[in-house]
Amino acid sequence: MQDRKTEFDLARDFQNIWHPCTQHKDFETIKPLLVERAEGVYLYDREGKGYLDAISSWWVNLLGHNHPRLNAALQNQLEKMAHVMFAGITHQPAIDLASSLVEVSPEKLSKVFFSDNGSTSVEVALKMSLQYWQQSGESNKTRFIYLKGGYHGETIGALSVCGLDIFRDKFEKVLLNNLGVEGPDCFRCPYGLNRDSCQAECFEPMEKALEENEIAGVVIEPLVQGAAGMKIYPPVYLKKLKAACDSYSAHLIFDEVAVAFGRTGSLFVSKELNISPTFLCLSKGITSGYLPLAATLTTDEIYSAFYDDFSNWKLFIHSHSYSANPLACSVANETLAILNENNFIRKLQPKINLIGQMGKRIYEESKWCGEFRQQGMIAALELVKNKNNKEPFLLESRVGYKIYLEGLKRGIFLRPLGDVIYFIPPLVISEEEIKRMMTIAQECIAAVLD
Ligand SMILES: Cc1ncc(COP(=O)(O)O)c(C=O)c1O
């Protein structure tokens, strides 16, 4: 039962707030969850009911809510300085963070450009790439390739390299003229291959697009296409892409906004696979979900094309008021310190195994589960109407949404992507909490579909 104050505040929310990615008419029947506080992997409402945050608050929270060390880092920095502009001024938290990022990222990445959200980290890479080609005598390189199913944010520039129709549809007419190509679809592989025999035969359209067009760069989410439904594809695709980008002189832009900082079982996918992209985009987990911050890393070669006498007007003009916010940088420094201590990432392995075992069991037991897939601490169950032919549910049946509502009743915050029930919990989740998360998810699926 909601008390009068909660009812009153929710009415005020309804009156004044426009939430992201939300059909507000849904609130006529189900109100948003009013979260009062959060601790570890749990969100708590006003009545004290806990909800397991199975998706890390839109994939940002790495180390759990209300983390004592992150709180302390934030408070220490707050005593000194909350914010200062970042042109003509620098500060210790940003200097420390840039050198740590350079140290732990792929070898050739040596320069860090700070901004404040994931979309912007991609915008920065796109703009740097375009300007690089203009200043290097190749001004016809103005288009980017993106994968169908790829997601890189929703500002107009980032949306122009987004391969998901639901985000693009309404804005198609004003988007930049980039090139979307078919990418991997391992669940419904058109080549009829399974993951073991696959040699990324689906790379063919990418190769062709690079061969036939003047391309500035290729933007990709390495290993996991998050917003597409945590679609997972094998590293061989990325190896082929790196070789092709090198041979056609196109920049390789790795968008690790969602997958970096331990999510896949390594700090960075690029580093783990020994692939050095031209640009590496980071955000979300960088501050463990405390404050908005993003970084675009690039090479000396790119940086050098902008380095000249002022009068030659080659500087990179891109500025945000909150670039490299010192509070955010301090929390990011502490986040990196924790991830780099005591084999933090290696110690995730038993949790990764447990998620795998439980996910496979749900797949086997549920006639609605077409696939269980997993990359490190990221996992997904794709629900289908017919397990034999993988026929999906109709969009209007809103299966995922109904499972989300069941989850709320049972104390778990899921936010399915269509009919994909996915898990990307804070890395600090315990094995007991993993069991609870997966068991309740299975119950929710059964409650809605059986
Ligand atoms: C891969 C990827 N890139 C970019 C973004 C955009 O980040 P933001 O929402 O912070 O703008 C997201 C957000 O989900 C993402 O998953």
Side-chain angles (χ1 to χ4, degrees), residues 142-154:
T142 55
R143 299 178 79 196
F144 294 92
I145 296 180
Y146 60 88
L147 289 186
K148 304 261 177 78
Y151 178 87
H152 304 281
E154 291 164 52

Side-chain angles (χ1 to χ4, degrees), residues 100-110 112 267-268 270-271 276 280 282 297:
S100 302
L101 288 173
V102 166
E103 199 182 313
V104 294
S105 62
E107 216 174 290
K108 289 192 180 147
L109 301 174
S110 55
V112 181
L267 199 58
F268 299 120
S270 45
K271 180 89 169 177
S276 206
L280 176 62
L282 304 172
L297 277 64

